[in-house]
Amino acid sequence: MTLAIRRLKASDADFNATLDQLLAWEGVSSHDVQQRVDDIIQQVRVQGDTAVLAYTQQFDRHPATDFNALVVSQQQLEAAFHSLPQARREALQAAADRVTAYHEHQRQGSWEYTEADGTLLGQQVVPLDRVGVYVPGGKAAYPSSVLMNVLPAKVAGVKEIIMVAPAPGGELNPLVLGAAWLCGVTRVFAIGGAQAVAALAYGTESVPPVDKIVGPGNIYVATAKRAVFGKVGIDMIAGPSEILVVGDGQTDPDWIAMDLFSQAEHDEDAQSILVSWDAAWLDQVEASINRLLPEMERADIIRTSLESRGALIQVASEAEALDMINRIAPEHLELSVADPKAWLPGIRHAGAIFMGRYTAEAVGDYCAGPNHVLPTSGTARFSSPLGVYDFQKRSSLIFCSAEGADTLGRIAGELADGESLTAHARSARYRVKR
Amino acid sequence: MTLAIRRLKASDADFNATLDQLLAWEGVSSHDVQQRVDDIIQQVRVQGDTAVLAYTQQFDRHPATDFNALVVSQQQLEAAFHSLPQARREALQAAADRVTAYHEHQRQGSWEYTEADGTLLGQQVVPLDRVGVYVPGGKAAYPSSVLMNVLPAKVAGVKEIIMVAPAPGGELNPLVLGAAWLCGVTRVFAIGGAQAVAALAYGTESVPPVDKIVGPGNIYVATAKRAVFGKVGIDMIAGPSEILVVGDGQTDPDWIAMDLFSQAEHDEDAQSILVSWDAAWLDQVEASINRLLPEMERADIIRTSLESRGALIQVASEAEALDMINRIAPEHLELSVADPKAWLPGIRHAGAIFMGRYTAEAVGDYCAGPNHVLPTSGTARFSSPLGVYDFQKRSSLIFCSAEGADTLGRIAGELADGESLTAHARSARYRVKR
């Protein structure tokens, strides 16, 4: 059965409305979910381990009868790593090395400067103390997520990394545990859902409270993260994954079809969009899609995703393709064109940019080096890939000389008078020379 | 009447519990507030300007009968600036210059590196397109807030800055408008509350949708910011302002009393804590507090704040004072000691550090250079002062050479097999050499 992927032309009268509809995604939780999550958080705050254990028995059908059974030991992690086939261990290690090397470029240092009158100004940069990493269970249990969330924290210098991962029916994914061992995660708990987020945010008898929670999760996890934001830091709340491929018509259509599939196979809500000014090549890619689809293990998911949220869009020119990029602000942007560097100055919004015909988005998911945790659903307009900067924080430094206190005290006094804050004014003026 | 400020000793049996209670602050909104805010956001999304105008008439008692009356023109801003006394204009200008100079040190640039096989990796850093700045109305209408929220965005290179400020009864503060003109704000609307946040997040006929909303506000504003987080970026949700002063007993007690007052005069929930290992000096500061309080314009607010949330804490040693700093993670930390630099390596959590006897916290509020928007209520454990980095964002760059695609394609293929993502594996392996 031919796959019915949308073919759009940017010149169509209703194109803008159609594209808006296609891109629309409301990640908002229902009041019902919010209420249930608030209840779970409240119970965990009051009852600690007892509540977390009860929810884990209920939601994950976990056979544990004692919270200790939810603690995963370092020995288990190490054994899981060594149980993996050698090729997989080596691939994990190679990916970890590359991700670490890339992220080391992001580490920021403290800085300061001294003004002519001796006043010192600067910023002290230090890592967070303790971070929680949420790793989903079930079909989305990805070892690559462990690497991508944990390694930037390690590079930042975070001392304690607490990982939580639900174990449906008591089962944990050995690849996930092995990746945790490889990355040097401090402690692992086999818990998930809003109860795990609450435990990390507020702490329980067993789970130490963390300063920031990162990692993807379902609607309950996302709602819980939003609820505890402020008590702890959180990363972005992720929507479905998406890719925008821009092609000049010279890349093998099979490669492009597979790149679109690789996004679509994540889940039915994933979005794959291809843009080109070469209509004949769009036809070829569509033919490749139809020829290759039956060969795919996840053909049903890919079909649903491409039919409900995918599109092949014909534009008039490269300039129109660039406009499309900035309008969509894609999580993943693949520039399958002859000179991708020439496009960079015009690109304002994209999570990650995969440049040239040889750069499959999939290498970015695993091992190229940059993070695969990226802003989704157009949030690349204001946010960035997860990085070392998310695990560092800054303190401003101000050290006035007697001379500097005189100059600054006069200015501050004048402005404090304007705001009718007279203690501010007087506190500043005490340091002004008489 | 003597002011009854708490005197605590860190060695007291119940000290930890007392301090926990003193620091406790729950910024969570009630379900009632959440519901009203959700309704307001929904109305603004559906009815745009009409809804914003109606709420502004209702909540701000604004006389406007047409949305255009809520638009503040550049002419009005410029006239407001020139209406200010010369000394105040000059002080504003001096503060703006210093804040700009400091923040220029925070600007981050793009970077890239090329590996031996020709693969390029990097990160492209660009400013946000359009930012919304919320400036509270009424008694907390501070021109310094305009400078501190707008200038980092300007330094980052943000092209459009949309300011909203409620005008209770139709009245706007000329200092706020003058500061907006000085900072080069693009457009100003005399709107506030959840309706202004909703207008900025979703856009209306008149208000353009922004990519990020920053600036302080009341519980409705904070709740609305939390609700639109994800649709747009937001800064931290601020709690009451607080200061921790650590003194070695050698600073003039009047200076310290006034520094504590300058925090306490903000509002009744503000918190001022003084820590020292010199009990006699704590007595002297307490005497200064009682002597100076009657002279203060905001004596009632200061009294309430100090009595309900303030404390003078005696510790046994410098080391214990340092522990106290890291435990409290203060928004403002004043190190009124002989050698404040020696303390820095031990300080893990503080929004801004005011070093030495000459550095009044008040100069940081206005003109020292660093931002006065700082993490409150212990959130310095995981967050940073507002800065240029909040108005820049990053895109990862990956440009594989044919050789690099071969190496990375093999690793990615192996890991994708492990995650049963076969389209990922095949997409990567298409680029592996045969």
Side-chain angles (χ1 to χ4, degrees):
Chain A
M1 194 177 70
T2 306
L3 184 142
I5 189 167
R6 269 176 210 78
R7 278 293 287 268
L8 306 174
K9 272 191 195 172
S11 56
D12 289 346
D14 57 351
F15 174 76
N16 279 317
T18 307
L19 185 61
D20 279 347
Q21 256 186 332
L22 194 62
L23 298 175
W25 183 264
E26 284 270 352
V28 177
S29 341
S30 68
H31 279 283
D32 183 47
V33 171
Q34 275 189 30
Q35 188 56 56
R36 289 165 70 184
V37 165
D38 286 350
D39 290 347
I40 291 170
I41 293 171
Q42 193 50 34
Q43 286 302 311
V44 172
R45 289 183 68 174
V46 174
Q47 299 188 33
D49 284 352
T50 308
V52 177
L53 176 63
Y55 287 125
T56 303
Q57 293 166 335
Q58 182 187 343
F59 298 138
D60 297 340
R61 305 169 317 284
H62 198 293
T65 53
D66 185 286
F67 196 91
N68 286 329
L70 301 176
V71 179
V72 184
S73 69
Q74 288 290 331
Q75 288 71 26
Q76 283 174 272
L77 303 183
E78 187 171 357
F81 182 76
H82 291 296
S83 76
L84 301 174
Q86 186 182 347
R88 202 144 293 166
R89 286 202 309 271
E90 287 173 1
L92 272 180
Q93 182 70 62
D97 290 347
R98 291 189 58 88
V99 170
T100 299
Y102 176 86
H103 283 78
E104 274 167 358
H105 290 262
Q106 293 177 335
R107 206 194 283 119
Q108 293 167 7
S110 303
W111 52 267
E112 58 179 56
Y113 60 98
T114 304
E115 300 186 306
D117 64 13
T119 292
L120 176 152
L121 298 172
Q123 203 158 51
Q124 174 158 301
V125 184
V126 299
L128 273 61
D129 281 354
R130 192 189 286 141
V131 164
V133 175
Y134 190 98
V135 178
K139 66 171 177 176
Y142 295 146
S144 55
S145 288
V146 177
L147 268 59
M148 294 296 182
N149 282 281
V150 172
L151 293 175
K154 292 295 277 190
V155 171
V158 174
K159 291 270 193 307
E160 281 189 70
I161 299 172
I162 314 296
M163 188 175 118
V164 295
E171 296 289 322
L172 278 163
N173 180 335
L175 257 170
V176 164
L177 299 187
W181 187 79
L182 179 66
C183 296
V185 167
T186 317
R187 298 177 71 183
V188 177
F189 297 94
I191 60 178
Q195 59 276 16
V197 173
L200 289 171
Y202 291 97
T204 67
E205 303 90 317
S206 301
V207 182
V210 302
D211 300 311
K212 185 164 191 166
I213 302 174
V214 300
N218 63 20
I219 188 72
Y220 289 92
V221 172
T223 305
K225 281 167 70 181
R226 189 186 287 268
V228 301
F229 169 59
K231 168 65 181 159
V232 297
I234 62 169
D235 60 352
M236 281 301 301
I237 291 169
S241 194
E242 15 101 14
I243 193 169
L244 173 63
V245 180
V246 174
D248 61 5
Q250 302 300 309
T251 307
D252 185 330
D254 281 4
W255 293 19
I256 299 297
M258 198 57 62
D259 297 348
L260 299 172
F261 286 177
S262 77
Q263 199 60 39
E265 75 174 339
H266 276 294
D267 61 75
E268 290 82 354
D269 291 326
Q271 185 161 58
S272 300
I273 296 178
L274 173 62
V275 167
S276 182
W277 48 94
D278 184 336
W281 183 72
L282 289 176
D283 291 340
Q284 290 170 23
V285 174
E286 190 167 354
S288 292
I289 288 174
N290 276 297
R291 181 167 43 76
L292 293 168
L293 182 64
E295 302 175 18
M296 305 313 301
E297 266 183 38
R298 299 187 173 218
D300 288 347
I301 296 175
I302 294 171
R303 174 184 290 274
T304 306
S305 160
L306 290 183
E307 290 190 337
S308 62
R309 303 202 71 219
L312 309 179
I313 302 178
Q314 185 187 332
V315 290
S317 62
E318 292 189 26
E320 208 170 85
L322 184 61
D323 288 346
M324 202 71 66
I325 291 169
N326 288 325
R327 169 155 174 204
I328 294 177
E331 179 191 13
H332 303 98
L333 170 64
E334 193 172 304
L335 294 173
S336 208
V337 299
D339 185 10
K341 277 196 172 182
W343 288 63
L344 290 186
I347 296 175
R348 301 199 43 73
H349 313 299
I353 307 175
F354 300 82
M355 302 161 68
R357 312 190 198 290
Y358 281 101
T359 313
E361 187 272 328
V363 301
D365 286 341
Y366 294 108
C367 59
N371 212 287
H372 81 192
V373 181
L374 297 166
T376 57
S377 308
T379 57
R381 293 188 65 83
F382 55 86
S383 53
S384 299
L386 189 71
V388 173
Y389 33 79
D390 290 303
F391 300 102
Q392 294 186 305
K393 65 199 178 65
R394 310 165 182 89
S395 302
S396 306
L397 303 179
I398 311 175
F399 190 179
C400 288
S401 65
E403 205 61 49
D406 182 76
T407 310
L408 296 180
R410 290 171 200 275
I411 302 169
E414 175 66 28
L415 292 172
D417 285 346
E419 296 185 353
S420 305
L421 293 175
T422 47
H424 281 68
R426 199 153 155 192
S427 162
R429 285 182 181 130
Y430 273 147
R431 277 84 169 182
V432 167
K433 296 178 178 175
R434 313 295 157 115
Chain B
M1 192 178 71
T2 306
L3 182 141
I5 190 168
R6 269 176 210 79
R7 277 296 286 268
L8 306 174
K9 272 190 194 169
S11 56
D12 288 346
D14 57 351
F15 173 75
N16 279 315
T18 307
L19 184 61
D20 279 346
Q21 256 185 335
L22 194 62
L23 299 175
W25 183 265
E26 284 269 352
V28 177
S29 339
S30 69
H31 280 282
D32 183 45
V33 171
Q34 275 189 30
Q35 187 58 56
R36 289 166 68 184
V37 165
D38 286 348
D39 290 347
I40 291 170
I41 292 172
Q42 192 50 34
Q43 286 302 309
V44 172
R45 289 183 68 174
V46 174
Q47 298 186 34
D49 284 353
T50 308
V52 176
L53 176 62
Y55 288 124
T56 303
Q57 292 165 336
Q58 181 187 344
F59 298 138
D60 298 340
R61 306 170 313 284
H62 198 292
T65 54
D66 183 287
F67 196 91
N68 286 329
L70 302 175
V71 178
V72 185
S73 70
Q74 289 289 332
Q75 289 71 26
Q76 283 174 274
L77 304 184
E78 185 170 359
F81 182 77
H82 291 294
S83 76
L84 301 175
Q86 186 181 347
R88 201 142 294 165
R89 284 204 308 270
E90 287 173 0
L92 272 180
Q93 182 70 62
D97 290 346
R98 292 189 57 87
V99 170
T100 299
Y102 176 86
H103 284 78
E104 274 168 359
H105 290 262
Q106 294 178 335
R107 205 192 287 118
Q108 292 167 8
S110 303
W111 52 268
E112 59 179 54
Y113 61 97
T114 304
E115 300 186 307
D117 64 13
T119 292
L120 177 152
L121 299 171
Q123 204 157 50
Q124 174 158 299
V125 184
V126 299
L128 272 61
D129 280 354
R130 192 189 286 141
V131 163
V133 175
Y134 191 99
V135 178
K139 68 172 174 174
Y142 296 144
S144 55
S145 288
V146 178
L147 269 57
M148 295 294 183
N149 282 281
V150 173
L151 293 175
K154 293 295 276 190
V155 172
V158 175
K159 292 270 193 308
E160 282 190 71
I161 298 173
I162 314 296
M163 189 174 118
V164 295
E171 294 292 322
L172 278 163
N173 179 333
L175 257 170
V176 164
L177 298 186
W181 187 79
L182 179 65
C183 295
V185 168
T186 317
R187 299 176 69 182
V188 177
F189 297 94
I191 59 178
Q195 59 276 17
V197 174
L200 289 171
Y202 291 97
T204 67
E205 302 90 315
S206 300
V207 182
V210 303
D211 299 309
K212 186 165 190 167
I213 302 174
V214 300
N218 64 18
I219 187 71
Y220 289 93
V221 172
T223 305
K225 280 168 69 181
R226 189 187 286 269
V228 301
F229 169 58
K231 167 67 180 156
V232 298
I234 62 169
D235 60 351
M236 282 301 301
I237 291 168
S241 195
E242 14 101 16
I243 193 170
L244 172 64
V245 181
V246 174
D248 62 5
Q250 303 301 309
T251 308
D252 184 330
D254 282 3
W255 292 20
I256 300 295
M258 199 56 63
D259 297 347
L260 299 173
F261 286 178
S262 76
Q263 199 60 42
E265 76 175 339
H266 275 293
D267 62 75
E268 291 82 353
D269 291 324
Q271 183 160 61
S272 300
I273 297 178
L274 173 62
V275 167
S276 183
W277 47 94
D278 184 335
W281 183 70
L282 289 176
D283 291 340
Q284 291 171 24
V285 174
E286 189 168 355
S288 291
I289 287 174
N290 276 297
R291 181 167 43 74
L292 293 168
L293 182 65
E295 302 175 19
M296 305 314 302
E297 266 183 39
R298 298 186 174 219
D300 289 344
I301 295 175
I302 294 171
R303 174 184 289 276
T304 306
S305 159
L306 291 183
E307 290 189 336
S308 61
R309 304 204 70 220
L312 309 178
I313 303 177
Q314 184 187 333
V315 290
S317 62
E318 291 189 27
E320 208 170 85
L322 184 60
D323 288 346
M324 202 72 66
I325 291 169
N326 288 325
R327 170 159 173 198
I328 293 175
E331 180 191 11
H332 303 98
L333 170 65
E334 192 171 302
L335 294 173
S336 208
V337 298
D339 184 10
K341 275 196 175 185
W343 288 63
L344 289 187
I347 296 175
R348 301 200 41 75
H349 313 299
I353 307 175
F354 300 83
M355 303 161 68
R357 310 189 200 292
Y358 280 100
T359 313
E361 187 274 327
V363 301
D365 286 341
Y366 293 108
C367 61
N371 211 287
H372 80 191
V373 180
L374 296 167
T376 57
S377 307
T379 58
R381 294 189 62 84
F382 56 87
S383 53
S384 300
L386 189 71
V388 174
Y389 33 80
D390 290 304
F391 300 103
Q392 293 185 306
K393 65 197 176 66
R394 308 165 182 92
S395 302
S396 306
L397 303 179
I398 311 176
F399 190 0
C400 289
S401 65
E403 204 62 48
D406 181 75
T407 310
L408 296 180
R410 290 171 199 273
I411 302 169
E414 174 65 29
L415 292 171
D417 285 345
E419 296 186 352
S420 305
L421 292 175
T422 46
H424 282 67
R426 199 154 155 190
S427 162
R429 286 185 179 132
Y430 272 147
R431 277 85 169 181
V432 168
K433 295 179 177 173
R434 313 295 158 113

